[in-house]
Amino acid sequence: MKNPSAAAGDSVDRDRLWRRLMEMAAIGARADGGVNRQALSAEDARARQLMVAWAEELGLEPNTDEIGNLYLRRAGSDRHADPVLTGSHLDSQPSGGKFDGAYGVIAGVEALEAIARAGVETRRPIEVVAWTNEEGSRFQPGAMGSAVFAGDMDLPSLLPITDRAGISVETALRETVAATPGITTRQAGFPLAGYLEAHIEQGPRLEAEGLTIGVVTAIQGSRWYTIEVGGEEAHAGTTPLAKRKDALKAAVAMVGALQEAMADPTDTVRFTVGRFEVGPGSPNTVPGHVLFTIDFRHPEMATIERLTGQIEPICQANAQGCAVTVALNSDTPPVAFGRDVIDTVRRHADNLALGHMDMPSGAGHDAMHIAKLCPTGMIFVPCERGISHNPAENATPEDLAAGARVLAAALVDLANR
Ligand code: GLV
Ligand code: MN
Ligand code: MN
């Protein structure tokens, strides 16, 4: 018989993978072709029900843990061996695409089906995981599921966090998990033999190079902040400018000064203000309250420290008499993957005659938390014009299948060690 990795890779079915991706994309589908399937929402619960239905169809064992990560387990021949894990997330941005996250989960399901159809047995179990709340758009911070699994966040501190409607993680998690009743619960953090996550690149490099596979070597670090500016509400028609504490005017000055301080001729620094809320939001009241967020990213810890160290002083210097609070919501250091999984992914891309390149990830992924627990790696496939976090996100069935082939082959390899 052909070697088992090659047999598994060859059994990946492009159309079956695409069909599952489109079936998932229908859950939370937006009229513009995108997806709104935010973490722990009714749509997220339906996505999990679909996963459990696939598990039944494929004879996989579904189970969950205290933060709602959902696992589908394929047994190995050695009942006592630690599993190899693959997957990503099913939650999306509010105006997200069909592939960010969902691809990694569904490529994992496809890999397990391909392995079974190829008649391949592995020594270790292989499990597909859908991590809870990777995006962090509804509940901050993101990557809650993988961070709890890795011990980087503790569950009790996450449960009281609320979304903008005041619904807590605790309530939303309870309702979401209740939608897939009767499945076993185990404790997050169980031992892993390896973790491999497939994902669309979310950037333009593979497409520009005409290559199919990104062999991911590292993930840049990130820090998220919430800044609140407290001024004084006042009548817009009568209050002299000198007497105002205009929270919006101060916040705009802060953001302008921060953008100047973060300017980087090498275009390596990533600084984004993605949320900006003004209260009370009335045309004829001087704004008394502003909340804005910062997403800061860089590959080097020293630069992260140096530049984020300027955030609070710059905000204070531009407060214009308003009160300012700067809260750090998440702090994820840069992560470098180990040589072993990197080499494994590259070797299987070579075996499958797929063009590939080594590359770091600009986006965050659950793999950044899992990397400290076990040998970890990622596989990227191209996406159209590098567009992501956008309803227009797109990728070709061929490229997505190629990534799933590398995934299936590499999983068999890792699960037979
Ligand atoms: C995940 O979507 C990220 O923010 O990088
Ligand atoms: Mn993602
Ligand atoms: Mn994302």
Side-chain angles (χ1 to χ4, degrees):
M1 176 183 164
K2 213 174 186 172
N3 92 59
S5 276
D10 287 352
S11 294
V12 163
D13 184 315
R14 182 196 67 180
D15 296 340
R16 186 171 60 210
L17 171 65
W18 184 258
R19 219 168 30 243
R20 282 206 180 99
L21 283 163
M22 293 307 110
E23 206 180 334
M24 185 59 77
I27 302 175
R30 292 163 48 99
D32 57 10
V35 171
N36 179 5
R37 193 171 54 237
Q38 293 183 62
L40 305 177
S41 62
E43 291 76 25
D44 189 359
R46 281 170 54 212
R48 290 155 186 261
Q49 288 170 336
L50 181 56
M51 283 281 285
V52 172
W54 287 335
E56 275 163 22
E57 186 187 313
L58 299 176
L60 307 170
E61 183 203 330
N63 51 76
T64 188
D65 63 21
E66 65 272 23
I67 181 67
N69 296 318
L70 177 64
Y71 311 89
L72 309 187
R73 180 178 169 98
R74 179 178 198 266
S77 59
D78 178 349
R79 289 185 51 234
H80 304 291
D82 296 334
V84 173
L85 194 61
T86 185
S88 191
H89 58 98
L90 292 173
D91 65 310
S92 81
Q93 292 285 314
S95 56
K98 300 182 183 78
F99 304 99
D100 176 2
Y103 170 60
V105 177
I106 294 171
V109 172
E110 175 57 32
L112 290 195
E113 178 152 9
I115 291 167
R117 283 180 183 264
V120 169
E121 261 209 73
T122 55
R123 184 173 81 78
R124 298 180 180 281
I126 304 177
E127 304 198 29
V128 177
V129 60
W131 301 110
T132 294
N133 184 29
E134 192 277 343
E135 293 289 6
S137 33
R138 179 180 179 198
F139 297 108
Q140 294 82 51
M144 277 185 186
S146 51
V148 167
F149 190 98
D152 290 337
M153 294 179 199
D154 83 314
L155 183 62
S157 69
L158 301 177
L159 294 176
I161 292 171
T162 53
D163 67 4
R164 282 197 267 185
I167 299 167
S168 66
V169 168
E170 183 170 21
T171 302
L173 180 60
R174 193 181 333 106
E175 287 170 3
T176 303
V177 171
T180 47
I183 66 176
T184 314
T185 301
R186 57 180 166 171
Q187 206 172 341
F190 49 82
L192 298 174
Y195 178 67
L196 189 54
E197 178 167 352
H199 208 283
I200 57 165
E201 180 199 343
Q202 306 182 279
R205 293 183 62 195
L206 288 172
E207 189 182 67
E209 302 284 341
L211 296 171
T212 310
I213 299 294
V215 180
V216 185
T217 54
I219 302 181
Q220 69 178 343
S222 72
R223 284 185 176 170
W224 280 17
Y225 296 85
T226 300
I227 289 86
E228 291 200 66
V229 185
E232 190 171 58
E233 293 176 19
H235 196 291
T238 60
T239 316
L241 295 188
K243 290 248 173 352
R244 295 184 181 194
K245 287 184 186 165
D246 184 332
L248 176 67
K249 190 160 165 282
V252 166
M254 290 172 201
V255 172
L258 285 166
Q259 279 169 335
E260 237 169 76
M262 304 296 162
D264 170 17
T266 70
D267 194 22
T268 311
V269 170
R270 297 285 174 263
F271 172 86
T272 305
V273 174
R275 178 175 292 173
F276 199 98
E277 294 171 355
V278 183
S282 165
N284 50 354
T285 297
V286 174
H289 181 252
V290 168
L291 176 154
F292 65 94
T293 58
I294 292 173
D295 173 317
F296 179 93
R297 308 192 197 203
H298 197 275
E300 288 152 23
M301 201 61 215
T303 307
I304 294 175
E305 295 281 10
R306 180 172 59 78
L307 287 177
T308 61
Q310 297 184 33
I311 290 175
E312 178 139 20
I314 288 174
C315 289
Q316 295 295 357
N318 289 276
Q320 305 179 12
C322 296
V324 189
T325 59
V326 177
L328 176 68
N329 305 126
S330 74
D331 183 0
T332 311
V335 169
F337 295 144
R339 286 269 41 111
D340 189 28
V341 181
I342 293 173
D343 291 345
T344 301
V345 170
R346 197 189 299 110
R347 189 168 62 252
H348 289 289
D350 271 332
N351 291 346
L352 288 157
L354 296 165
H356 59 82
M357 66 188 280
D358 286 10
M359 60 192 303
S361 174
H365 299 286
D366 294 297
M368 63 203 174
H369 293 290
I370 305 307
K372 69 188 242 200
L373 302 179
C374 64
T376 291
M378 290 191 72
I379 301 165
F380 277 174
V381 295
C383 60
E384 199 176 298
R385 292 184 292 138
I387 292 174
S388 188
H389 285 195
N390 184 317
E393 188 181 271
N394 200 16
T396 68
E398 286 71 26
D399 288 342
L400 295 164
R405 282 196 183 93
V406 176
L407 179 67
L411 285 173
V412 168
D413 187 335
L414 295 170
N416 278 330
R417 292 184 189 171

